[in-house]
Amino acid sequence: MSKGILVVVSGFSGAGKGTVMKRLMEKYDNYALSISVTTRQPRPGEVDGREYFFRTKEEFQQLIQEDELIEYAQYVENYYGTPRFYVEEQLQSGKDVILEIEIQGAMKVKEKNPEAVLVFVTPPTVEELKRRLTNRGTETQEVIAERLARASEEAEGMDSYDYLLVNDVLDECVDHLHRIIQSEHARSLRNTEFIETIKKESRQFK
């Protein structure tokens, strides 16, 4: 069984990353969404090991010291990180692991895992991004303005990604992401063992 691929997905707030990930998991069965470790308290209905791995700040600091996190960041008072053990376990079982994180975290992952595939999700236009943020109806004009200003900063890092994924029609976007990941499995760099076997076996015909 071949090892899975680590896929890092980033994108603007309002680009529909969460919806794309949810649909990918529903439509295809060889994916695992990475579960983050966090120091925040569980919300009602959340279960340890399902939504998050809930840990104390002391336990989180220990994970950092033991290099057990692929990446981590602090938001407000709490820490969030990607646990190496969970990701490795899923990859070894042949699952492709999807990691949905910010640009800074994505760059850290690529640094530690050069074989990871980085995908940036964007709407077709900035006007469409603004429309989606407004249509959510959950945020004030001030928050929308902040998110658009942040999108302007994030756009500067788009060319650091391996692939751009335009989320216009949801199912087309999901199928495109699936094709990207499947084509990555066929890269010669990921199949060195198989290539060596073919070379060795074919030498008998020289």
Side-chain angles (χ1 to χ4, degrees):
M1 178 177 53
S2 66
K3 190 182 174 186
I5 292 173
L6 179 58
V7 183
V8 179
V9 176
S10 308
F12 307 123
S13 173
K17 301 183 295 296
T19 311
V20 170
M21 298 304 101
K22 189 170 179 250
R23 186 75 186 107
L24 183 76
M25 304 294 285
E26 287 169 357
K27 201 166 182 180
Y28 300 102
D29 62 2
N30 196 47
Y31 294 106
L33 267 182
S34 175
I35 300 171
S36 296
V37 182
T38 183
T39 57
R40 81 157 169 78
Q41 290 299 305
R43 291 181 185 136
E46 288 183 334
V47 176
D48 182 51
R50 190 179 67 190
E51 281 80 16
Y52 288 95
F53 294 108
F54 295 100
R55 299 292 182 266
T56 63
K57 285 193 177 173
E58 291 73 23
E59 287 170 332
F60 198 97
Q61 290 292 344
Q62 196 171 343
L63 289 172
I64 294 171
Q65 283 164 15
E66 292 171 1
D67 197 29
E68 285 298 320
L69 298 172
I70 294 174
E71 58 79 38
Y72 65 92
Q74 187 177 6
Y75 296 105
V76 197
E77 294 296 304
N78 293 304
Y79 286 97
Y80 294 82
T82 302
R84 189 181 301 284
F85 71 90
Y86 179 79
V87 170
E88 279 301 325
E89 193 179 90
Q90 297 295 322
L91 292 174
Q92 292 302 336
S93 74
K95 292 259 187 194
D96 294 322
V97 178
I98 311 284
L99 189 52
E100 191 192 317
I101 49 174
E102 304 289 320
I103 289 182
Q104 290 85 346
M107 296 306 120
K108 284 181 196 169
V109 172
K110 191 73 170 176
E111 208 176 285
K112 285 189 178 182
N113 304 265
E115 75 288 352
V117 178
L118 269 55
V119 180
F120 193 92
V121 181
T122 175
T125 64
V126 173
E127 202 50 49
E128 174 62 13
L129 178 66
K130 188 179 177 185
R131 191 188 69 78
R132 287 181 192 179
L133 285 169
T134 307
N135 284 1
R136 275 180 179 178
T138 54
E139 283 139 355
T140 62
Q141 285 302 316
E142 193 183 352
V143 171
I144 290 168
E146 278 172 20
R147 293 197 188 282
L148 288 169
R150 191 167 177 197
S152 170
E153 288 170 24
E154 289 171 335
E156 297 300 319
M158 286 169 76
D159 50 10
S160 301
Y161 283 72
D162 300 309
Y163 296 94
L164 278 181
L165 189 66
V166 178
N167 182 16
D168 192 3
V169 178
L170 179 63
D171 268 331
E172 285 177 14
C173 177
V174 168
D175 291 342
H176 189 190
L177 178 57
H178 178 67
R179 285 196 302 272
I180 285 170
I181 298 165
Q182 293 316 299
S183 67
E184 279 290 328
H185 275 280
R187 267 189 193 267
S188 54
L189 282 171
R190 298 187 196 277
N191 293 277
T192 49
E193 211 173 291
F194 176 76
I195 290 167
E196 284 311 310
T197 303
I198 294 290
K199 279 182 181 177
K200 192 177 169 186
E201 289 176 359
S202 66
R203 281 184 194 125
Q204 63 178 303
F205 302 115
K206 272 189 176 177

